Amino acid sequence: MLSTIADAAWSAPVIDYHALAPEIVLGGGIVLLLLLDLFIADAKKWVLTPVASFTLLAAFIPVLTLSLSDGGVRSLFDGRYVVDDFSLVLKGLFLLAGYVVVLLSADHIREGDYYQGEYWFLVLSSLLGMVMMASSRDLISIFVSLEFLSIPAYMLAAWRKRDSKSNEAGIKYYLLGVFASAIMLYGMSLLYGITNSTKLVDIGAYLGSDMSAIRAVAVLFVVIGFAFKISAVPFHTWAPDTYQGAPTPVTAFLSVASKTAGFVALVTVVYVGFPGSSEVWQPVFWILSALTMTVGNVMALKQTNIVRMLAYSSIAQGGFILMPLAAAGEQGVAESALRAVVTYLLVYAATNLGVFAVIMAVSRKTRSGEISSYGGLFSYAPGLATLMTLFMASLAGIPPLGGWFGKFAAFQSLVSAQNNWAYALAIIGGVNSVVAFGYYGSILREMWMRPVPDGDSSPVPIQSSLIVALAITGSATLLLGVLPGIVIHFGDLAGLAGAFGG
Amino acid sequence: MLSEHNWVLSVGTFLPLVGVIIMLFLPKADEALTKAVGIITAAATLAVGVFTLIQFDYDRAGEMQFVADHEWISVIKSSYFIGLDGISLPLYFLSMVITLLVMIYSWNHVPSPGNPKAFFILMLILQTGMAGTFISRDLILFFVFFELVLLPMYFMIGVWGGENRQYASLKFFLYTMFGSALMLVAFLALFFKTGAESFSIPYLIENGLNISRTTQIWIFGGMFVGFAVKVPMFPFHTWLPDAHTQAPTQGSVILAAILLKLGTYGFVRIAIPILPEAAKAWAPYIGALAVIGIIYGALGCLAQTDMKRLIAFSSVAHMGYVMLGISTLTSFGMNAAMFGMVAHGLITGMLFFVAGSVKERYHTLEIKRLSGMLLQVPKLGWIMGFCAMASLGLPGLAGFWGEFPAILSAYQPADGLPVEVFRAYMVIAAIGTVFAAGYLLWMFQRTAFGEPTAEFSPGHGHDEDIHDVNKFEWVAWSPLLIAIVVFGVYPQLMFKVLDPAVGVTLKAFGG
């Protein structure tokens, strides 16, 4: 067997280095971080923070130049790795979200006496996995990217070594994550057995709309595997414990970047790999979406810990993101559904990172994660309270903040299917978005209308890195709501949906 | 369409936000400065409003003027499309006047727990939302402005309100949000049923006719709930008494004078012209709920012991007259309704001002504890009497021209509506006016006539805050009092602006 491989004529693939530049920069940064960490003294380890953030910003530059160049879709490695508008928008999102996470982590990690070098190494590795995920169009590269982004995340969740909750967070996340990978891998192996290819386009062409039981099982297993990643109900059980136990910046990272990566993979696989199998995945998404937003909302209503509440809130938001996919197989809906998902992800990332920035600032003073510790925040930290109000209103979908447009785009895309299933889901979604105000509003009520719990109304100290993070996320949240056109202008997403039979 | 000076409306709408940004950077401790900046902003906004009033071409009041149409969210086919006609102009201008007056009143009346900076900022944001709603010509733009008022009012009630403020603010918020969710679904349905081309109101008016009658009725139903919650119509009114009673004076005035009108305005501007068939089908039911509201509101008033709560219930009754006028779908009724909206804004706004000042002086609004205001605070007492008269629809004051023609219009509703039913409504509504006279005079009599009660009579230690109308109150109130008289004596001033625009709105009903 070895000899046959050796005998075959092998020609090196032509590599478009410009298209791969973001990944190369990130990879270089990771190596640099590791080396620096080995050779510099502990006292100077703070240097690693700027190195990490500059790596991310440097990786963002080729994303910009690529989106400005008019080379169209760049297809590498026989179409298994594609750089198009869709992937560029998401790469940009991952890198910026990563940058904000670095800003959030900076002081937390230094003060907490954590292993700084390794922390940055793991965050950047995970981000590299996400950036690769956005371009992967092949089962193997998707799986590799997924593990690449997940394994560092498992370790990050357990970062507070002596805290049993953090250990629990890591273990739960790891076990369920591996379980999900196994299910997905099984689905993928079935797909390969059926179609004799790992390339998504080939799989899509071979499957067509012809659905036998074995094909349906294969599609179902892959979709369910990703449902774990995006913490869709009933596969969400790891999320609240993991979010609560992990260090706060890591939670921000997991709830935004990691979740987005899950959605990206899901959308890519469904749109490119199973475009004709909508009769299998549409009902699945319908059920997942309805369950996810309802259960997430109801559970969030009774939480008293803010991070745990946000965990359920983020589950519920996932339900809204899934909503347009439940009708994406209908005539003419595919493109608007994809656009809605991407828009929602962008808005959600900006808003949720902002929420975590506020939480980190406030918890430095109150040393508490209880919702009641936000009592009277407006009286002693009006700036933070106002920003938190904007973020909460955005998550609740109140105009003119980003969240409303995300929800609106999702509803519009869903309703455009004009069938009863779509209407029914839209009604469930509508009721849920009103219910959601119950818990988002409870935070507003604490901040604005309740007295300060312990009477300590000294001002909250905010580090400069958090100010930058708040400025980025706050202005993005506001801007996306007032002028949502700018997001859509960013990438005409027809590339992915149009090229593959949407 | 006229499009000269098409910057006027945008400036008038967004100028308050410029003030907000300036105020964000002012030190919180310097209260006088922040208040001054707030009032100057509101005054500048009103100046733009006056300029709009001057530039408005009254001979073409039926047409949209100062039209601007810019790309906004092209992907969902929504644009920044604004304009002003005879229907929007009075409300647009009224919102600016009320905001300025309320701010002047707030100079020395910032309710507990203080923080004028936040209070003034919220009022300016409210102003932008209100003005924007009245100029929007695109449903999505309308929706965004319509929702923009939600959070500031929520905080205004919830932070600066009375004892039950948290309950009242949450109730206000959830009711309105539920209504807007249904309204948005109705907007989306309208969008797809007209070919998914545009959210612009003129486009939808042209193409709404092609929707089948059954679908129209469903879509109208969605909008109905959204707008009826805001008006509020019976049975969606239960948030209003709580919100009004708990809100600070300023919140009550803005709520009564402008926010309630967003609902009725929505009916006149959006629901009825776009879906005429459905409007006809719904009209008898709307009329029925309107007269139920009139009687229910009146009976509610008679049962109240709290002055502010009484005025709140009277709002339900008055908005009933407005909705009755609208439900006739005639030019006569619609004109009366539009007039009634402005008149109610002036009069009830004024009554809430008075109630706020009474509360400040006597620390109670309980009617049975108050007495002899005419002896103790004669000016305040007489102003209250004047407003009560205006509110019950005394001829010669503004209230009359909203109420009387609305009742009269029910005698002859538009073609195709059941005449007998509307005549029955007319009779019931007329009985309602008797109740109105009853409860308002009763309130006035009990609080203003007679001797001051023992606890507030001089020398009992509870009268140190009791003084007559002060200069900030005079400045804030006189424009409203003058307007009530002017529009009462010369209603043509407003009818001539309204009438052409109402005619255009009712084109589908043959005038």
Side-chain angles (χ1 to χ4, degrees), chain A residues 339 378-380 382 386 389 393 396-401 404-405 408-409 411-413 415-418 423 426 430-431 433-434 437-438 441-442 444-445 448-450 481-486 488-489, chain B residues 24 28 71-77 113 115 117-118 122 140 143-145 147-148 150-151 154-155 157-160 165-167 169-170 173-174 177-179 181 184-185 188-189 191-193 196 199:
Chain A
R339 194 182 283 140
F378 182 70
S379 62
Y380 62 87
T386 307
T389 305
I398 297 168
L401 297 152
W404 88 269
F405 187 72
F408 181 83
F411 275 106
Q412 196 191 25
S413 163
V415 175
S416 71
Q418 304 206 36
Y423 293 142
V431 171
S433 51
V434 178
F437 185 77
S442 77
L444 301 189
R445 214 154 49 239
W448 287 71
M449 304 173 197
R450 297 267 161 85
V482 179
L483 295 171
I486 51 170
I488 286 147
H489 171 78
Chain B
L24 283 178
K28 191 174 151 189
E71 199 170 288
W72 183 40
I73 320 177
S74 42
V75 165
I76 61 163
K77 306 203 166 105
N115 198 346
K117 181 174 163 181
L122 288 180
I140 298 304
F143 178 76
V144 169
F145 281 123
E147 294 287 284
L148 183 60
L150 215 53
L151 274 184
Y154 170 72
F155 287 126
I157 299 173
V159 178
W160 287 273
R165 55 183 184 271
Q166 292 185 18
Y167 168 75
S169 59
L170 189 64
F173 198 94
L174 289 182
M177 197 157 168
F178 177 70
L184 189 60
V185 172
L188 278 176
F191 174 71
F192 287 114
K193 291 293 172 192
F199 277 106

Side-chain angles (χ1 to χ4, degrees), chain B residues 98-359:
Chain B
I98 293 285
T99 303
L100 177 63
L101 298 183
V102 162
M103 286 185 133
I104 293 173
Y105 180 83
S106 307
W107 182 269
N108 62 352
H109 289 90
V110 177
S112 150
N115 198 346
K117 181 174 163 181
F119 195 67
F120 276 63
I121 285 179
L122 288 180
M123 283 196 279
L124 287 174
I125 298 175
L126 264 174
Q127 164 60 26
T128 293
M130 296 186 295
T133 311
F134 292 130
I135 58 166
S136 297
R137 302 284 291 149
D138 179 283
L139 288 188
I140 298 304
L141 193 63
F142 175 88
F143 178 76
V144 169
F145 281 123
F146 193 84
E147 294 287 284
L148 183 60
V149 300
L150 215 53
L151 274 184
M153 193 38 102
Y154 170 72
F155 287 126
M156 219 156 172
I157 299 173
V159 178
W160 287 273
E163 278 180 7
N164 242 334
R165 55 183 184 271
Q166 292 185 18
Y167 168 75
S169 59
L170 189 64
K171 197 168 174 184
F172 161 78
F173 198 94
L174 289 182
Y175 264 73
T176 324
M177 197 157 168
F178 177 70
S180 354
L182 280 177
M183 187 174 85
L184 189 60
V185 172
F187 285 178
L188 278 176
L190 201 57
F191 174 71
F192 287 114
K193 291 293 172 192
T194 51
E197 284 295 323
S198 169
F199 277 106
S200 111
I201 295 175
Y203 173 86
L204 293 172
I205 290 177
E206 237 170 78
N207 293 276
L209 301 166
N210 306 329
I211 305 173
S212 74
R213 187 163 179 276
T214 331
T215 318
Q216 277 204 23
I217 289 175
W218 277 103
I219 297 177
F220 195 99
M223 290 187 195
F224 172 77
V225 177
F227 295 139
V229 165
K230 204 83 170 185
V231 171
M233 287 186 79
F234 182 88
F236 304 108
H237 67 281
T238 57
W239 63 269
L240 184 81
D242 289 310
H244 263 323
T245 317
Q246 298 305 324
T249 306
Q250 291 86 339
S252 291
V253 173
I254 294 178
L255 197 58
I258 312 293
L259 286 202
L260 303 188
K261 275 71 192 180
L262 299 184
T264 39
Y265 179 80
F267 276 109
V268 175
R269 175 101 297 158
I270 294 169
I272 291 173
I274 295 180
L275 300 166
E277 283 298 313
K280 270 188 188 165
W282 274 85
Y285 304 103
I286 296 178
L289 291 177
V291 291
I292 293 176
I294 293 174
I295 298 298
Y296 180 89
L299 292 177
C301 283
L302 289 170
Q304 299 312 315
T305 55
D306 182 285
M307 195 196 272
K308 221 171 163 188
R309 221 175 153 83
L310 188 149
I311 304 171
F313 269 100
S314 85
S315 258
V316 175
H318 279 110
M319 294 314 275
Y321 289 106
V322 172
M323 287 312 298
L324 179 66
I326 291 175
S327 74
T328 64
L329 300 177
T330 57
S331 156
F332 193 54
M334 203 77 95
N335 267 314
M338 298 304 304
F339 197 102
M341 280 156 71
V342 177
H344 173 260
L346 297 171
I347 298 167
T348 309
M350 200 48 232
L351 275 170
F352 277 118
F353 265 137
V354 172
S357 289
V358 169
K359 169 97 179 177

Side-chain angles (χ1 to χ4, degrees), chain A residues 225-296:
Chain A
F226 286 117
F228 272 99
K229 267 273 128 336
I230 59 172
S231 58
V233 178
F235 312 109
H236 67 288
T237 44
W238 59 272
D241 291 332
T242 302
Y243 285 8
Q244 194 181 358
T248 317
V250 174
T251 307
F253 183 66
L254 294 181
S255 73
V256 172
S258 175
K259 194 175 188 121
T260 307
F263 270 105
V264 170
L266 183 63
V267 166
T268 317
V269 169
V270 166
Y271 271 71
V272 185
F274 318 140
S277 324
S278 60
E279 55 187 297
V280 177
W281 50 257
Q282 271 199 157
V284 176
F285 283 139
W286 198 99
I287 295 168
L288 284 180
S289 166
L291 273 180
T292 305
M293 56 190 164
T294 311
V295 172

Side-chain angles (χ1 to χ4, degrees), chain A residues 5 18 30 59 66 126 138 143 157 181 244 258 347 360 384 414 424 427 478 483:
Chain A
I5 292 174
H18 189 192
I30 291 169
L66 279 168
S126 188
D138 178 279
F143 186 73
S181 296
Q244 194 181 358
S258 175
V347 172
M360 293 195 57
L384 279 178
L414 178 66
I427 289 169
L478 202 58
L483 295 171

